[in-house]
Amino acid sequence: GCDAVCQVEPYHQCTGTPSVCGCGPYRSGAGCTTCVVFVAADQVPPNPDGRTWATAFRELQPAIDAAAANGPGCEVWVKQGTYFLFRGSALDTILLRSGLAVYGGFAGTESQRSDRDPASRMTVLDGTDGSGVADRNVAHVLTASQVQGVLLDGFTVTGGHSSFVIGPLEGGGGLV
């Protein structure tokens, strides 16, 4: 974690005197280059931080924000299940961030992305509140405004209701 001129290397954190260095939050592997943030709707950890399946975030947006804050190459792994987005406003949405890969289809035990199975482990982003009551939909399930290099893989997107007129965000019930 310390380079030839005693500077902290990328993705590392150092604490104490003398310094002890290790991978920063969400990072692991050689050179701390692997970065994964976990999401599981059915988890109820006392202090969700997204660093493991056991402490996964319950919602996708905090995981996306944490991954974006940890630099390029971060991935978000999402456990199978349905993630309801409507929290009281048609403006509720998932804001995608540049440089992130977001993968669905996990059982919630994997340590390798290649172990997921999105075909049999449905991961649904639902723009409703899950109640079945009419008019409880978001206008846009996902919003990608001025972002680049985003990958969204292994999801079913449903429940957006783009007939809402919201200025420049009109249209695009699944993705705008």
Side-chain angles (χ1 to χ4, degrees):
C2 192
D3 68 14
V5 292
C6 292
Q7 299 297 308
V8 177
E9 294 177 317
Y11 312 127
H12 287 77
Q13 271 185 337
C14 300
T15 59
T17 305
S19 292
V20 175
C21 297
C23 294
Y26 309 105
R27 297 232 170 234
S28 64
C32 300
T33 55
T34 301
C35 180
V36 177
V37 181
F38 299 92
V39 181
D42 61 351
Q43 291 293 93
V44 189
N47 297 305
D49 60 16
R51 294 181 186 199
T52 67
W53 284 119
T55 62
F57 288 115
R58 292 196 63 185
E59 296 180 5
L60 189 52
Q61 191 65 58
I64 287 174
D65 295 344
N70 276 277
C74 237
E75 297 182 356
V76 178
W77 291 6
V78 185
K79 184 178 176 181
Q80 67 185 358
T82 301
Y83 296 79
F84 297 102
L85 301 180
F86 184 85
R87 299 284 182 261
S89 170
L91 297 176
D92 296 336
T93 188
I94 295 172
L95 295 172
L96 297 174
R97 308 282 188 215
S98 292
L100 295 183
V102 184
Y103 295 97
F106 290 91
T109 58
E110 296 86 352
S111 58
Q112 300 291 320
R113 182 176 3 107
S114 58
D115 293 336
R116 75 189 179 112
D117 185 1
S120 67
R121 296 187 188 113
M122 295 291 294
T123 310
V124 179
L125 304 177
D126 188 326
T128 72
D129 67 357
S131 70
V133 175
D135 297 327
R136 290 190 181 179
N137 297 75
V138 299
H140 318 288
V141 175
L142 298 155
T143 300
S145 180
Q146 300 181 18
V147 297
Q148 298 177 12
V150 176
L151 174 68
L152 186 71
D153 184 276
F155 293 93
T156 297
V157 178
T158 188
H161 194 277
S162 63
S163 67
F164 296 106
V165 178
I166 308 173
L169 298 180
E170 183 176 359
L175 170 68
V176 67

